[in-house]
Each structure stands twice: as structure tokens, then as C-alpha cells.
Amino acid sequence: MSKQAPKDVLNRRGFLGAAGLLAAGAALPIGKAKAEAAAQPDPAITEVHDFNKLLGDGVDRRPYGMPSKYEKHVVRRDVGWLTASAESSVNFTPLHELDGIITPSGLCFERHHSGVAEINPADHRLMINGLVEKPLVFTMEDIKRMPRVNRIYFLECAANSGMEWRGAQLNGCQFTHGMVHNVMYTGVPLKVLLDEAGLKPNVKWLMLEGADAAGLNRSLPIDKALNDVLIAFAMNGEALRPEQGYPLRAVIPGWQGNMWVKWLRRIEAGDMPWQTREETSKYTDLMPDGRARKHTFVMDAKSVVTNPSPQAPLKHKGRNVLSGFAWSGRGTIKRVDVSIDGGRNWGTARLDGPILDKSLTRFYVDFDWNGQEMMIQSRAIDDTGYVQPSKPELRKIRGVNSIYHNNGIQTWLVRANGETENVEIS
Amino acid sequence: MSRSASALRALTASFAALGLLTSVALAQQQLAIKPGAKLGLGRAALPEEIKAWDTDVRPDGVGLPDGKGTPKLGDAIFQERCSTCHGEFGEGVGRYPVLAGGLGSLKADRPDKTVGSYWPDATTLFDYIKRAMPYGNARSLTDDEIYAVAAYILSMNDVIKDENFELNKNTLAKIKMPNAAGFYEDDRDTTEKHFWNKSPCMSNCRDEPKVIGRAISVDVTPEGKNGPAVD
């Protein structure tokens, strides 16, 4: 549950004082701190606009409301060269345009293996078979008669930031970190469904399978399945979006997104992992010795500053808001530290909004910018004591070919003109 | 007496006037569930239904159907149904997956992870082709054709050497893949134990950082700051 945000120790003086980069030498110039009168009256104020003169659209003009036409740039985007075809591909959440902790459903990044399955819920079935007392078939109507819960969880693709293992590649947090989203799910605990079918005592693994043209299947350890896994039919208060698995998906809190099988149609109980293509040839992490880690389900603690970032440069000297997300697959975010000198000195950011188990957590630092160059970093610490490592620390163990689980600290270089870029530092 | 209280009395009186039947029915219905009981939702899955969906195959061969195929037969099917994306010899077209080669490359700077060099289990081929291939026309191959295509892919990787080797549910389950021993359980909790740190450094943590790489020099970010046109 949410708790009181820790006290903001990064007040203006503390933040700048902790930064050797800025403290050295020159006295800190103070930005435009006080409001000055405009030279000319502002036409935004003095002129009458159509919108305060003429009637606007009536109530039924937009039966399903969409964002303002002035927000058309706030969209998911893909990176064409990453994949061979749009139907087996990924796009990215525009993290730098978001606030709070909830990702709007239409901005949640997409990852499909054979495109979006468009399924009439009246035709959807969920089967439970394998090592159960009684193999069962459920309709969506059946599932909506079961006891349900509401939970907010992040979903991160294991390959998020995977393009950055060898160094800075993509210039924008949407592309470096945008394979994550955070929504409220409504669904039935998987345990409820499994109890209905009756698990046999020797069940150790489940296999979850989608109804899409990839029939995507993953093995799931039974302990996790009985702990906190949900079978969800709603996100952010309405039915799942087609691209997020409508009408039914798995929710595997804190674990890699590939396991959250969309368009879920079957769960088989068994006594060993299935070794599916997605858990052997993919989603295994190749180490420098040529061997690979498998079953690396948990997403390590991670954070990113979303503002400023390459797509959201600093525009003003003086007062500014630095902002970002932190998350951990092991629990709640305890603290986020921010550096403006590439990790030499750190101050602690202010967490705001709900701080929930396995959910994105929002952090802020309010600061006055004097126009000097900054190397901005953030560092997440979760309630198990895990501290988000630097990229060199990660590479020391994992090399550069593991593709997945890159949770290293991101560096943004903010230039004197406010332009911000993705850099790799020594 | 307030208006609402008198309205309530009138309502109660009218319920009473409806008679005993109504009050008996109301007494029986409760907002509660039988503790410990099953939900009583869902129905038994029929054997035909389980057969239609339960096509998965495990590494021990459980789930493999009857049928057979050889690399020679698979070559012809592969050229017709698979080579547009995967190439004539499994070399991959464009960014579509490379299926063959790469043996011994896993320690290299640029490893080549293919069926032969990386996949731990041959059975995964059958499970995956049956559910997801050919891309864009999944579930269109017969079991015999799947055995044949799997045999051809294994022969391109020199896992099968005889072009007339019969792949079936018995022989497929026995195939040992070159990289079968190349995987180990997630060990982050031990090998990365030092990432759990009670007092992370706060000041003078490192020497002065220098920029050694820039994304804008790599120049692979999609162009345009305004995103695609959206209506």
C-alpha cells in the first residue's frame, strides 16, 4: 500500500551543494527566480478566442474520449531496423510524456510475435488441463463470476534497454527504456482457477499458452503461480486492449514481460518445464564464458530520468523539475538517488504518489539550473537492499551479449543549451 | 415526523401487504458464499477439445505425435514454405532468424545463436513449428511435414548426418543437441550479491567521468521529433 513519501533531502542547496561539478570554481548564478513584467500585453490574454466565444462540441461528439489534438505527438513509436516485420516486433512507451505512475492504456508498449489477435470474447475459452483432477473449460462469463482483485503492476520486457549493452545507441528514453508500462489490472487470482480444477500433488510447473498465431507458450513455476499471478480481463478500469491480450491475459508480477501470456487460452499443469522456444533460444542470457543463464524471471531494480532526456530537453534556466520512474521486480522502491555529475556525488530524490509492490514509482527533484553542463543519472534502491548497478559493473559480470536484463544506470548529458543526449561515460 | 421516515413506513407497509411469500424469499437469499466449496464454474473439457489444443511437446518427448519425416523430404518442403524468410540453407533473409551455423561461436564477440549452436532441445523445434510456423500461415503443416522440416533443420546443423534419417517421436526425443549443457539456473542472488549494498556511496564515488560514446554518433534513432501522423 502507499506510504508517506520520504522527505525531500535534495532541496536546492543540498542538490547543488552535493554536486562537485557545479560547486567547483564560479559562484552559482541564480536563474530567473522572480517573475518579470512582459514587454507587451499577451494576446493569449487580451484577445478573444473562438473557444471562449463559440460553442464547442456537444456531449456525444466523442463517445470514446481521446487526448487533445495538441497531444498528437504523444504516441508509441517503433525502431524499424530492430525487427524483420511489424507483426513480430515491439514499439515503445513515450515515458518522457507521462506523469504519475499509471500508463494510459493506449500508450502501453506493444510486443507481438505474430500480430494482434482480434478475439470476440464470446468465442474465447480458457482450458486447464494436464496434471489436474478435472480438466476444465471456462468462458469469459465464467471468469467474470469469480472473486476478483485489483492490483497495479509494472510490466517490463526482459529486453528493455537491450540495445544499449555495447554503449549508447538510441537517443531517447522512449527507445532506451520504453518497453515498460504500469497499469491497474482487474482479474482473478490464478490459484482460484487452479483450485477449481484441482492440482495433482506432483505439479511443479505450468505452461501458459496464447490464442494468437504464435501460440506463444511459457513455463511458469507453480510456487509463483500460486503466489501472486492473476488472470486479468481489465486494465485501468476497462477491458484489456486488443494489443494487450483482450479478452484475457496473464499477470506475472515483477517477472519478465514475455511470461505475461496474452490472449491466454490454455494452462497445462506438469512436472517439468517445457523448454519452449521463448524460454530457451530466447529469454536466456548468454554470459561471457559462452554458457547462458536460464529462468532469469525476476526484473532487477531499475530507474531512468525521463525529464530531462533527449526527447525532452531543458528549455529554461532557473527553476526546473527533474523527474523519472523507478521499479523493482523484487518489491517496493525504497529510495532513488540522483547525480548531476556522472555518479561522483549523489543526492536523494523525492518519491511522490503511491509506492507500491512491483509498480513504477515516481520521483522528482526540484532544482534551479544555472546553465552548466550536467551528466544526469538515477539509481534505484529497493526494499531488499538491491542497488541499481552502473553499466560497467553489470558488464563486468554479464559481458555485452546477454541481450536481456540490462538494468544499468543511464547517463544523460545535458548541454549548456539544454540539449540532452544519451551518452556512455568512462 | 420527517418526510423520509413516513415514506419508509409506507414502503414497509406495502411490503407487508405483499404477503408472506416475499419475506420468506428475502430471508433465504444471503450475501454470502458457502465456505470451502468449489465455485462450481466451468465445465469438464472433452477429450476431443484437449486433443485439439494440447499439441505441446516436452524435452522428454511427451506430446510428440505419430508421424515421420527425413531431411531429404524436409528440404523440398523447407524451400517451398520456409526459405523466403529463413533462406535456402537456413542463413536467414534480412533480419529473419538464422537457423543454421554458428557452432562454437557463443564466446565470440558476435555470437551466432542458431538451432545448432544454441538450442538445448531438439523437441522445441516440433513444438514451435507446430504452433507458430510458417509465419503468417501457422498450423498449416501436417505432422509428417513438421517432422521432415525439423529433420532438414537438424541436418543443416550437422546434428543429423544421413539425409534419409527418419525423424519420429522416438528418434526426435533421443537427439542430443550440441549446446544441451550450455545453460544453468539463474544465479544472480549469489554471483551478483554485491549489488545488495546497505550503504551505497554518496560523495566522491568516482573520478571525473568522460564521455566515451554518444548515441547521436551511432545515428540509429528514428528520425523526427514529432512522431508518426496520427488521426
Side-chain angles (χ1 to χ4, degrees):
Chain A
M1 299 312 297
S2 74
K3 49 190 171 189
Q4 194 67 37
K7 208 173 166 212
D8 176 15
V9 301
L10 249 188
N11 58 31
R12 190 182 79 87
R13 200 158 32 142
F15 185 63
L16 295 180
L21 190 75
L22 291 183
L28 300 174
I30 297 168
K32 271 188 189 173
K34 57 183 179 184
E36 289 170 18
Q40 297 290 325
D42 185 352
I45 296 170
T46 57
E47 287 181 12
V48 175
H49 305 272
D50 283 353
F51 58 77
N52 40 46
K53 179 171 152 187
L54 307 174
L55 295 177
D57 288 343
V59 289
D60 271 347
R61 183 74 176 78
R62 304 168 216 209
Y64 193 101
M66 298 296 283
S68 160
K69 62 184 178 185
Y70 303 109
E71 297 293 320
K72 279 192 174 176
H73 58 289
V74 183
V75 288
R76 300 181 285 219
R77 298 184 63 189
D78 76 343
V79 176
W81 55 265
L82 266 181
T83 50
S85 109
E87 294 78 18
S88 182
S89 192
V90 63
N91 62 15
F92 301 85
T93 307
L95 299 177
H96 59 293
E97 297 283 0
L98 303 181
D99 226 311
I101 64 165
I102 295 292
T103 314
S105 299
L107 294 178
C108 291
F109 81 94
E110 301 170 74
R111 171 68 169 116
H112 315 308
H113 294 77
S114 289
V116 177
E118 299 274 1
I119 300 173
N120 181 342
D123 297 333
H124 192 69
R125 304 288 182 270
L126 175 66
M127 180 187 288
I128 298 182
N129 72 313
L131 295 178
V132 292
E133 300 300 336
K134 187 180 180 189
L136 292 174
V137 172
F138 300 100
T139 63
M140 289 302 297
E141 296 267 333
D142 292 333
I143 289 163
K144 288 183 177 179
R145 293 167 64 196
M146 296 175 183
R148 69 183 78 160
V149 298
N150 295 291
R151 298 283 186 273
I152 296 173
Y153 292 121
F154 78 82
L155 182 166
E156 185 183 17
C157 175
N160 199 19
S161 314
M163 293 80 83
E164 305 285 310
W165 274 110
R166 286 172 183 267
Q169 277 221 74
L170 290 162
N171 209 33
C173 73
Q174 180 166 14
F175 305 112
T176 56
H177 289 77
M179 283 194 268
V180 65
H181 60 64
N182 200 61
V183 309
M184 177 182 278
Y185 296 96
T186 306
V188 179
L190 176 53
K191 184 176 188 305
V192 170
L193 289 135
L194 296 174
D195 284 349
E196 200 68 2
L199 289 178
K200 293 194 171 165
N202 55 335
V203 173
K204 291 193 177 70
W205 292 79
L206 303 179
M207 190 207 69
L208 276 55
E209 178 183 84
D212 60 324
L216 190 136
N217 57 338
R218 284 295 304 255
S219 304
L220 175 70
I222 192 66
D223 288 351
K224 179 69 173 176
L226 296 174
N227 180 20
D228 58 2
V229 171
L230 304 180
I231 303 304
F233 48 80
M235 62 191 287
N236 291 338
E238 61 179 355
L240 294 173
R241 292 290 169 88
E243 61 270 34
Q244 304 300 339
Y246 179 86
L248 199 63
R249 83 169 310 164
V251 171
I252 322 282
W255 287 20
Q256 56 178 244
N258 183 257
M259 304 177 79
W260 299 45
V261 175
K262 299 190 283 190
W263 312 289
L264 181 71
R265 78 167 191 184
R266 194 166 69 91
I267 298 168
E268 184 170 342
D271 57 4
M272 63 169 71
W274 271 257
Q275 299 282 78
T276 75
R277 185 249 197 189
E278 298 296 325
E279 63 206 31
T280 54
S281 87
K282 307 290 176 187
Y283 302 95
T284 49
D285 315 336
L286 186 60
M287 296 289 125
D289 69 357
R291 297 184 309 145
R293 285 176 178 159
K294 63 177 177 178
H295 303 153
T296 49
F297 304 134
V298 177
M299 299 309 295
D300 294 312
K302 186 168 175 177
S303 67
V304 65
V305 171
T306 57
N307 304 78
S309 66
Q311 297 159 291
L314 279 185
K315 292 177 182 164
H316 309 281
K317 288 183 189 171
R319 196 63 187 246
N320 275 287
V321 178
L322 180 152
S323 178
F325 292 113
W327 62 96
S328 170
R330 293 190 179 87
T332 56
I333 290 298
K334 203 75 183 166
R335 195 175 101 198
V336 178
D337 295 334
V338 172
S339 169
I340 56 174
D341 59 5
R344 286 186 92 182
N345 298 285
W346 297 87
T348 297
R350 171 170 62 93
L351 306 184
D352 189 82
I355 301 168
L356 301 171
D357 183 38
K358 304 175 181 72
S359 162
L360 293 193
T361 299
R362 173 62 67 175
F363 64 87
Y364 296 110
V365 177
D366 303 299
F367 74 107
D368 289 330
W369 185 43
N370 65 2
Q372 281 190 291
E373 219 172 70
M374 299 185 285
M375 288 183 191
I376 292 181
Q377 299 186 332
S378 64
R379 174 172 80 182
I381 302 170
D382 71 17
D383 63 352
T384 71
Y386 183 97
V387 181
Q388 182 183 0
S390 70
K391 288 180 181 175
E393 283 175 312
L394 269 188
R395 292 189 189 108
K396 208 170 155 186
I397 298 165
R398 304 185 189 173
V400 294
N401 284 322
S402 68
I403 299 176
Y404 307 103
H405 294 286
N406 183 351
N407 66 317
I409 290 172
Q410 173 67 44
T411 308
W412 304 128
L413 175 66
V414 180
R415 296 203 173 279
N417 63 3
E419 277 180 7
T420 302
E421 59 173 292
N422 177 12
V423 295
E424 183 73 28
I425 57 171
S426 58
Chain B
M1 186 185 289
S2 73
R3 183 174 294 193
S4 61
S6 83
L8 184 64
R9 278 204 336 176
L11 194 64
T12 313
S14 66
F15 269 136
L18 278 174
L20 199 59
L21 267 178
T22 306
S23 56
V24 167
L26 284 173
Q28 280 185 338
Q29 177 60 57
Q30 294 185 342
L31 275 176
I33 52 172
K34 271 187 242 167
K38 292 220 173 195
L39 301 170
L41 294 170
R43 62 163 177 84
L46 300 177
E48 301 93 313
E49 294 171 331
I50 295 173
K51 191 175 174 229
W53 276 6
D54 186 356
T55 68
D56 56 77
V57 173
R58 302 201 314 190
D60 59 359
V62 169
L64 282 170
D66 293 335
K68 59 182 192 299
T70 64
K72 196 174 178 181
L73 289 168
D75 188 354
I77 300 162
F78 189 90
Q79 301 315 330
E80 191 190 324
R81 306 292 304 274
C82 318
S83 64
T84 311
C85 296
H86 293 296
E88 214 176 324
F89 305 102
E91 72 276 18
V93 175
R95 294 192 63 82
Y96 283 99
V98 178
L99 300 182
L103 204 62
S105 74
L106 298 181
K107 275 192 257 187
D109 183 45
R110 300 282 175 177
D112 215 356
K113 295 194 285 182
T114 73
V115 174
S117 72
Y118 195 62
W119 289 35
D121 304 283
T123 49
T124 307
L125 270 176
F126 196 100
D127 179 87
Y128 183 69
I129 295 169
K130 174 120 182 170
R131 69 181 56 250
M133 291 291 120
Y135 187 60
N137 192 16
R139 304 171 213 256
S140 63
L141 296 175
T142 66
D143 289 343
D144 282 348
E145 288 173 325
I146 297 169
Y147 276 116
V149 168
Y152 179 65
I153 294 169
L154 291 169
S155 75
M156 285 192 291
N157 283 290
D158 289 328
V159 175
I160 292 176
K161 302 216 162 49
D162 176 1
E163 65 169 11
N164 292 310
F165 179 89
E166 184 185 300
L167 202 63
N168 57 41
K169 64 181 178 186
N170 296 316
T171 58
L172 177 52
K174 289 195 187 96
I175 285 177
K176 293 273 176 278
M177 296 299 280
N179 194 41
F183 296 82
Y184 60 99
E185 290 289 334
D186 183 3
D187 64 351
R188 284 176 288 175
D189 286 356
T190 51
T191 56
E192 298 181 1
K193 206 176 176 65
H194 55 291
F195 292 162
W196 281 264
N197 179 359
K198 284 202 179 88
S199 50
C201 176
M202 296 301 285
S203 58
N204 276 322
C205 303
R206 54 160 299 161
D207 54 3
E208 193 167 335
K210 289 191 173 57
V211 172
I212 56 169
R214 305 172 66 189
I216 54 172
S217 312
V218 183
D219 196 22
V220 290
T221 307
E223 293 299 316
K225 290 190 172 173
N226 296 320
V230 181
D231 288 314

